[in-house]
Amino acid sequence: MRYENALESILPKMKNVNGVVAIFLKGSIARGENDAYSDLDLYVMLKHDVMVETVYGDIVKALEAYRKLLYKDLIEIICPQIIGVYTDMLHIDCYIVYENDYPQTDVIKVLYDPGHRLNHYKEQDLRLTTEMFNDSAIDSCWFIYQYDHIAERGQHLWTTQMIDNALNHVTKVLLYKYYPEKSLLGKKAAHHLPSEIYETLVKVNDLNNSRSHRETVSVFMNLYKNEIKSIVEMEWDQGFEDIFNYLYEKYA
């Protein structure tokens, strides 16, 4: 696969960048779940006293040892991250982390670690926290309540966004029950759900457009009553069941 060729070219150069002490992979490739369309999630670990600005150019050169980056950008969300797209359309996310400060979630695949700094890595699964689950327990129905007002106004383009928001949260709730270790991934892990439930989610997704949104909500609310209500009702605030009943009676 392309990522194997990319790593074969990148690694020798990346190891020689000043301050690099370890290199590892995360994401679908590290988990062994990748395919020909997977992104390359590469993590480059620096010594704590090395500034990203001083090595950015060298890291880019190492990345381009594979081939030229058609597009690149440096952003920072959790950590500094180089987003890149190669001329063969391989997408790489190169995360720049520090030896004493890096996210320890999901599986990693160590590529370079001469100082054994990653021996203390504490692998965590992609499970929703209790707080995240509680939020999704409310929002999986709350966005349909928002939809109800938007649909009545005739704002049909906006209705699809509300349904999709609800679908995102419902998928996380269902994964929390059936495949909790990947529940944080939401739609990306939906194929792990029981086939009948997955097919219903696909139906909701396929129906969700500005013309058939009411039918979409009908399918959604029936799924909600049959599969989701029993999972989330303990997290509902007082009075929220009345909102659910209103929506169910109106649309299901």
Side-chain angles (χ1 to χ4, degrees), residues 197-216:
I197 292 175
Y198 177 73
E199 290 303 321
T200 304
L201 294 175
V202 170
K203 183 176 181 179
V204 171
N205 188 74
D206 290 348
L207 282 171
N208 189 19
N209 61 63
S210 58
R211 296 186 184 277
S212 61
H213 52 81
R214 190 179 182 92
E215 181 184 356
T216 309

Side-chain angles (χ1 to χ4, degrees), residues 20 29 37 44 52 54 59 70 84 95 105 123 129 187 189-190 199 202 213-214 219 222 224 228 230 234-235 238-239:
V20 171
I29 295 176
Y37 306 100
V44 177
V52 173
T54 65
I59 289 176
L70 184 67
Y95 300 88
T105 55
E123 180 183 313
T129 65
K187 285 183 178 180
E199 290 303 321
V202 170
H213 52 81
R214 190 179 182 92
V219 175
N222 276 296
Y224 203 101
I228 298 151
S230 62
M234 293 298 293
E235 311 307 326
Q238 185 175 3

Side-chain angles (χ1 to χ4, degrees), residues 109-139:
K109 181 177 181 180
V110 178
L111 303 176
Y112 172 72
D113 184 22
H116 307 291
R117 290 170 171 83
L118 295 171
N119 285 357
H120 304 293
Y121 183 89
K122 297 178 181 178
E123 180 183 313
Q124 300 177 24
D125 59 27
L126 297 171
R127 189 182 303 262
L128 287 174
T129 65
T130 301
E131 183 179 359
M132 290 174 178
F133 171 73
N134 292 345
D135 287 344
S136 286
I138 295 293
D139 287 343

Side-chain angles (χ1 to χ4, degrees), residues 2 10 17 24-26 44 92 99 109 149 191 240:
R2 290 179 299 173
I10 293 169
V17 172
F24 58 99
L25 296 173
K26 293 180 75 173
V44 177
I92 185 168
E99 58 182 322
K109 181 177 181 180
H149 292 72
H191 59 284
F240 198 80

